[in-house]
């Protein structure tokens, strides 16, 4: 019994010591005077976690306006509120902001004060998804690396809005109201380091013009695209992931070697109107062709290299790299043709 009491007291002492040391460490790191200032400058509507002094959490608070942002803040969370306006005043002291999340508010273009965003010189990430924007806001901070504008009402992209965003690597415009006329030949001019462009779930009938040359991921799902122009992908020689699901592509709308592109590793053409598998490159690793109108598959015809030549080189030659093939939702009857397996020796999964 005495041993149990001593054990309990020892455990209590250790826990209390750890807690005291943790709290004391926070005080020591910040300094007593700084700690007092730190707690007093936190907006009353928000939460300032002591363990993360550079972050300010004002999400899900029913806010209608942005409170004054302390100078120390790098990460600002304002999502899920009722904010309608974005003015310069709350950010006067917030010169170190790197990240702003304003998703799921009620911000309109008229509610954004001119220059309110562009003066945030150190901002890297700007999230404005699920708002009421009708065009891409401008001007934007020149240092931006990610701009997320999904699920707005954007139908217009002002001329030159991206011209100075050389650091932007990701632009998300999916689920807006963009027509072909909104994407001119110079719309994406200046985005020299863009790697991901998402224009899915818009109202495009044509492939967009002048995609930045360094783009790796291009997402165009859920549009009404019918034709792939000849040599379209020669202008974006690094494109690796291409999604064209839920469009209106037919065999006649694809050039003979439209998708025979060595850079493409993942090609998604699900839910289109294809009746045959288009020519592919030996480097392709994932191919999605489900829910088209394909009736049969001939492995000899679709094999990107000669099967006889492949047999000569075996696994040490330039054999096709396809690992995943999806063909369900077509009119193809199993079993899988043997020449498919002979050609694509690295196949790990076939869905039919």
């Amino acid at each position: 019994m005495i041993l149990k009491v001593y054990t309990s007291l020892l455990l209590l002492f250790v826990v209390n010591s750890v807690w005291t040391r943790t709290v004391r460490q926070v005080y020591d790191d910040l300094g007593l005077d700084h700690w007092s200032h730190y707690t007093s400058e936190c907006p009353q509507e928000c939460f300032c976690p002591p363990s993360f002094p550079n972050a300010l959490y004002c999400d899900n608070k029913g806010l209608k306006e942005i409170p004054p942002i302390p100078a120390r803040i790098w990460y600002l969370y304002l999502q899920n509120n009722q904010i309608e306006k974005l003015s310069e005043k709350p950010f006067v002291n917030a010169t170190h902001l790197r990240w702003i999340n304003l998703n799921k508010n009620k911000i309109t273009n008229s509610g954004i004060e001119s220059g309110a965003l562009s003066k945030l010189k150190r901002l890297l990430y700007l999230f404005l998804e699920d708002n009421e924007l009708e065009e891409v806001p401008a001007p934007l901070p020149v240092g931006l690396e990610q701009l997320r504008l999904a699920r707005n009402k954007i139908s217009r992209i002002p001329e030159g809005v991206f011209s100075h965003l050389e650091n932007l690597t990701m632009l998300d415009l999916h689920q807006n109201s963009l027509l072909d006329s909104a994407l001119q030949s110079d719309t994406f001019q200046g985005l020299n380091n863009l790697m991901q462009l998402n224009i899915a779930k818009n109202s495009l009938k044509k492939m967009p013009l002048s995609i930045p040359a360094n783009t790796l991921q291009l997402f165009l799902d859920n549009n009404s695209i019918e034709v792939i122009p000849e040599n379209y992908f020669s202008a974006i020689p690094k494109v690796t992931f291409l999604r064209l699901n839920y469009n209106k592509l037919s065999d006649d709308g694809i050039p003979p070697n439209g998708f025979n592109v060595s850079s493409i590793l993942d090609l998604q053409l699900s839910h289109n109107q294809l009746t045959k598998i288009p020519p592919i490159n030996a480097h392709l690793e994932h191919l999605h062709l489900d829910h088209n109108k394909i009736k049969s598959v001939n492995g000899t015809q679709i094999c990107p290299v000669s099967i006889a030549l492949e047999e000569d080189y075996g696994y040490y030659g330039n054999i096709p790299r396809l690992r995943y093939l999806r063909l369900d939702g077509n009119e193809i009857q199993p079993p899988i043709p043997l020449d498919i397996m002979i050609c694509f020796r690295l196949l790990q999964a076939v869905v039919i």
Side-chain angles (χ1 to χ4, degrees):
M1 181 66 182
I2 295 175
L3 181 60
K4 285 186 178 181
V5 172
Y6 280 131
T7 304
S8 300
L9 287 173
L10 180 60
L11 181 60
L12 182 61
F13 174 76
V14 171
V15 171
N16 187 58
S17 298
V18 171
W19 182 86
T20 303
R21 187 164 57 250
T22 303
V23 173
R24 186 173 298 160
Q25 184 178 358
V26 173
Y27 273 94
D28 290 342
D29 290 344
L30 293 174
L32 188 58
D33 294 336
H34 187 82
W35 176 263
S36 177
H37 175 67
Y38 166 76
T39 54
S40 65
E41 70 173 358
C42 183
Q44 186 176 2
E45 311 93 327
C46 308
F47 172 60
C48 299
S51 59
F52 196 11
N54 295 121
L56 181 61
Y57 290 87
C58 306
D59 52 307
N60 297 287
K61 302 294 184 181
L63 300 179
K64 293 187 177 181
E65 59 183 32
I66 300 173
I69 309 303
R72 71 173 189 278
I73 298 304
W74 287 25
Y75 307 99
L76 178 59
Y77 299 88
L78 287 160
Q79 66 270 28
N80 293 300
N81 282 294
Q82 303 293 318
I83 298 170
E84 297 180 2
K85 296 182 179 180
L86 208 167
S87 60
E88 181 182 345
K89 186 177 179 181
F91 302 106
V92 169
N93 296 319
T95 56
H96 296 284
L97 272 176
R98 304 292 203 275
W99 171 303
I100 299 179
N101 189 333
L102 278 159
N103 291 345
K104 295 187 178 179
N105 278 283
K106 297 184 177 182
I107 299 171
T108 62
N109 288 95
S110 60
I112 301 178
E113 184 180 312
S114 179
L117 291 171
S118 61
K119 291 184 178 179
L120 302 173
K121 302 296 185 183
R122 300 188 182 185
L123 195 66
L124 302 178
Y125 301 88
L126 178 59
F127 299 169
L128 280 165
E129 298 179 345
D130 296 286
N131 277 277
E132 298 180 15
L133 299 172
E134 295 183 354
E135 63 180 52
V136 175
L140 291 162
V142 296
L144 273 186
E145 294 182 3
Q146 288 193 17
L147 177 60
R148 299 176 184 247
L149 298 168
R151 294 178 298 279
N152 276 274
K153 303 174 183 177
I154 296 172
S155 61
R156 182 174 175 270
I157 300 177
E159 184 177 355
V161 68
F162 302 127
S163 59
H164 300 294
L165 303 186
E166 294 184 358
N167 295 326
L168 199 71
T169 59
M170 197 271 272
L171 175 59
D172 190 346
L173 288 162
H174 90 269
Q175 200 166 332
N176 277 283
S177 302
L178 292 170
L179 299 170
D180 295 318
S181 57
L183 305 180
Q184 300 298 316
S185 59
D186 60 350
T187 296
F188 301 112
Q189 185 175 347
L191 299 179
N192 299 326
N193 290 298
L194 194 71
M195 291 189 287
Q196 184 186 109
L197 177 60
N198 191 341
I199 326 178
K201 294 188 177 181
N202 278 277
S203 300
L204 304 180
K205 293 183 179 180
K206 300 178 180 179
M207 295 292 284
L209 300 171
S210 301
I211 300 297
N214 286 318
T215 302
L216 298 176
Q217 301 177 345
L218 179 59
F219 303 148
L220 293 163
D221 312 79
N222 292 89
N223 281 284
S224 298
I225 297 171
E226 298 179 356
V227 176
I228 306 294
E230 190 81 34
N231 299 319
Y232 181 84
F233 299 106
S234 61
I236 42 176
K238 297 181 180 180
V239 64
T240 304
F241 299 91
L242 178 61
R243 292 196 336 215
L244 279 159
N245 303 318
Y246 291 96
N247 277 281
K248 296 182 179 180
L249 289 171
S250 63
D251 301 327
D252 294 335
I254 301 176
N257 285 295
F259 295 121
N260 187 0
V261 180
S262 61
S263 65
I264 299 178
L265 302 182
D266 190 298
L267 176 60
Q268 300 190 19
L269 298 168
S270 304
H271 293 272
N272 278 278
Q273 300 172 12
L274 302 174
T275 64
K276 59 184 179 181
I277 298 178
I280 59 174
N281 193 272
H283 290 87
L284 187 68
E285 295 182 3
H286 296 84
L287 178 59
H288 298 247
L289 284 165
D290 55 286
H291 298 91
N292 277 273
K293 299 179 179 180
I294 302 170
K295 294 183 178 180
S296 61
V297 181
N298 187 315
T300 304
Q301 290 179 357
I302 69 171
C303 192
V305 300
S306 167
I307 291 181
L309 185 64
E310 184 181 344
E311 289 177 348
D312 290 340
Y313 284 105
Y315 281 96
Y316 302 99
N318 187 28
I319 65 172
R321 301 179 186 176
L322 194 68
R323 288 172 167 78
Y324 180 87
L325 176 61
R326 184 170 178 183
L327 292 166
D328 56 304
N330 285 282
E331 300 176 28
I332 304 169
Q333 297 297 322
I336 300 168
L338 180 60
D339 52 4
I340 291 283
M341 308 308 296
I342 294 174
C343 173
F344 302 107
R345 300 186 183 188
L346 301 181
L347 264 176
Q348 297 175 354
V350 181
V351 184
I352 193 169

